[in-house]
Amino acid sequence: MSRRAPSFSMSVATTLASRWLVLAFTIASGIVVARSLGPDQKGAYVVTFLLLGQTLAVGSFGVPHALVYFLSSNRITRAEAAGHFLLMSAFAAVLLIVPYAVIAVVGADRLFKGVDPATLLALGVLILPALATANAAGVLRGLGRLDLFNLLRLVDAVLAFGLLFLALVVLGAGLRGAVIAGAVATMLSGTVAVALVLGAVGTRPSLSIVSMPAAVRFGLRSYLTVLLQVTERKLDLFLLAWFLPIETAAWQIGVYTTAVALAELPRTVSAAVSTVLLPRLAGADARTSARTVPLVSRHLMALNLAFGAVLVAAGHPLIRFLYGPSFLPAYVPFLLLLPGVVMAGAWNVFEAEMVGRGRPLRLSMFSGVTLGLNVALNLVAIPRWGIVGAALTSGFTYGLLGFCLVLDYRARNRAVSLRDLLLVSPGELARRMPSSWRLSQGTVR
């Protein structure tokens, strides 16, 4: 007898609970790094892994989205999904290693100030296990195994925290020890990811010459969107590393990343919702999608606004308590980032809608425009105002992207008003909250 799929609300609740656990361990890792290393060396730690993170964004090639879409819509079998996962991960890693090495050597003096080029080169071995972790998430979501998807994310966060705690608190190994701990955690997470995928599919991996090209084409269409969005979210760090003087670059980046981590807390709710929403919409008809998206969007906006208000009030004492007084300069950049991040939470819903309906390129158009604007504004703001300028620019462009996607959805669905997408009445919120929006099996009751 097949296992009954959990309701949408239950899937969101369990995924959100898992994300909060992941977030707790992620914050704990950040606190360990901040308390043990201080702003200067925390910034150096972030810069050390900056190239690897951007390489993974570039090297995803849309594979996770393709695996979710093709599995959820029954366009590939479980065995084919496992085969595609293994082949695409290995091929992308081979493709990326040379450009990674070139950038690590050529850009060391300007982009990665204070980081040993040999360390950057050594971290290139992490490309394959990190890609495996990212691509495994696509398979597990496409299979509807959100339990294993959430487990993978939790294992990744627990490994990172445990090894950082061991290196920095127990052994007192400093920055070098933190880098080694991060590298080992990435390798172990990749191994766990492969094991979970092979266990979930329950059959020998296979390849299909029919489905593979179609999956690759879909992945490349959604890849542009992912690339643009991740680049926009990381671009400010690269520009800060480029423009800031070597004497203060690490300190400012250490403070700025603390502000970003705090400002992005509301996105945990948005990410949990979109994680569940994408495979649901990929297999849903247009009528179900039209009912579900506005309901999810306006409740998500209400939750993000409430969460943001709490953070504004608690942010300053929270930074002092968690990270220490030396990180208090992060509060102003945090305030500038937060409104845009709250509004950007809306794009998680509309990203899921566009990808789930097979239209990922439409999302790329908006991401490209806001990325170009982000670059232009940051080139002016960062040299003049440093991390405050980066926060102001990024907060503005994040919010602009979210608002543009709301307007685009409204233009494509004339029967839906802006109020339907953005505003929830107190009465509706009171009715919906006890039953977690009363969504079941991807439909609205």
Side-chain angles (χ1 to χ4, degrees):
M1 184 176 177
S2 62
R3 183 178 58 178
R4 182 180 178 183
S7 68
F8 180 84
S9 56
M10 180 59 69
S11 296
V12 170
T14 55
T15 301
L16 182 57
S18 170
R19 281 189 175 271
W20 276 107
L21 278 174
V22 170
L23 180 63
F25 280 105
T26 302
I27 291 175
S29 296
I31 293 170
V32 167
V33 172
R35 290 282 187 174
S36 301
L37 301 180
D40 280 335
Q41 289 196 324
K42 179 180 184 287
Y45 177 79
V46 170
V47 172
T48 300
F49 285 95
L50 187 58
L51 179 59
L52 178 65
Q54 189 62 26
T55 300
L56 297 176
V58 171
S60 73
F61 299 116
V63 172
H65 276 168
L67 291 171
V68 172
Y69 180 77
F70 274 71
L71 266 172
S72 298
S73 55
N74 297 315
R75 286 171 167 81
I76 57 175
T77 66
R78 289 170 171 255
E80 289 168 353
H84 294 355
F85 156 72
L86 293 173
L87 180 61
M88 290 176 175
S89 298
F91 180 75
V94 171
L95 201 62
L96 291 169
I97 190 63
V98 172
Y100 175 93
V102 171
I103 295 172
V105 173
V106 174
D109 292 339
R110 292 303 304 267
L111 289 174
F112 314 107
K113 296 169 184 173
V115 179
D116 182 10
T119 301
L120 290 177
L121 287 173
L123 291 179
V125 302
L126 301 178
I127 293 175
L128 178 57
L131 281 174
T133 302
N135 293 339
V139 177
L140 298 175
R141 289 171 66 189
L143 290 172
R145 294 302 307 270
L146 291 179
D147 55 340
L148 296 182
F149 168 79
N150 292 328
L151 176 62
L152 176 59
R153 290 181 56 85
L154 185 58
V155 166
D156 187 42
V158 170
L159 283 172
F161 168 73
L163 290 172
L164 282 170
F165 186 87
L166 175 64
L168 294 174
V169 178
V170 178
L171 300 178
L175 178 59
R176 182 179 294 274
V179 171
I180 293 173
V184 173
T186 301
M187 290 181 180
L188 292 176
S189 294
T191 303
V192 172
V194 173
L196 287 177
V197 167
L198 295 181
V201 297
T203 185
R204 184 188 299 272
S206 67
L207 296 174
S208 169
I209 60 174
V210 176
S211 62
M212 174 69 83
V216 170
R217 287 194 299 270
F218 183 91
L220 290 176
R221 291 201 304 270
S222 65
Y223 161 71
L224 181 59
T225 296
V226 174
L227 176 62
L228 291 170
Q229 290 175 353
V230 174
T231 299
E232 182 173 1
R233 292 179 64 185
K234 296 293 184 182
L235 181 68
D236 45 6
L237 292 178
F238 281 100
L239 292 176
L240 284 168
W242 181 274
F243 283 114
L244 294 177
I246 190 170
E247 297 82 10
T248 63
W251 183 88
Q252 291 201 57
I253 290 173
V255 169
Y256 183 72
T257 52
T258 301
V260 172
L262 192 60
E264 291 202 339
L265 287 178
R267 292 186 70 138
T268 57
V269 181
S270 307
V273 171
S274 64
T275 295
V276 179
L277 192 61
L278 175 54
R280 301 271 177 161
L281 293 181
D285 56 36
R287 181 175 297 180
T288 298
S289 176
R291 289 199 304 265
T292 303
V293 170
L295 176 62
V296 174
S297 174
R298 63 178 179 265
H299 282 83
L300 186 57
M301 185 59 63
L303 288 172
N304 281 348
L305 286 170
F307 198 173
V310 171
L311 286 175
V312 169
H316 196 275
L318 200 60
I319 292 172
R320 178 186 292 273
F321 176 73
L322 294 178
Y323 298 97
S326 59
F327 285 89
L328 285 176
Y331 185 65
V332 171
F334 153 73
L335 291 178
L336 296 173
L337 281 164
L338 185 62
V341 172
V342 168
M343 184 64 202
W347 74 252
N348 288 80
V349 176
F350 300 108
E351 176 189 32
E353 186 266 339
M354 290 182 188
V355 175
R357 304 298 296 165
R359 293 192 294 260
L361 280 177
R362 191 177 187 90
L363 190 60
S364 301
M365 175 182 67
F366 294 101
S367 299
V369 171
T370 55
L371 174 59
L373 183 60
N374 184 285
V375 172
L377 293 176
N378 265 320
L379 289 176
V380 175
I382 289 178
R384 294 187 178 186
W385 304 305
I387 59 175
V388 171
L392 185 62
T393 294
S394 296
F396 172 71
T397 55
Y398 292 169
L400 180 64
L401 176 59
F403 191 63
C404 286
L405 293 180
V406 169
L407 294 180
D408 174 72
Y409 184 87
R410 168 71 179 83
R412 291 184 288 113
N413 298 269
R414 294 289 184 179
V416 179
S417 67
L418 287 178
R419 181 182 181 86
D420 292 332
L421 294 172
L422 296 176
L423 299 177
V424 56
S425 67
E428 182 187 11
L429 189 61
R431 292 194 306 272
R432 292 289 183 182
M433 285 297 288
S435 57
S436 299
W437 306 345
R438 299 179 184 178
L439 296 177
S440 179
Q441 304 297 326
T443 61
V444 181
R445 293 182 178 179

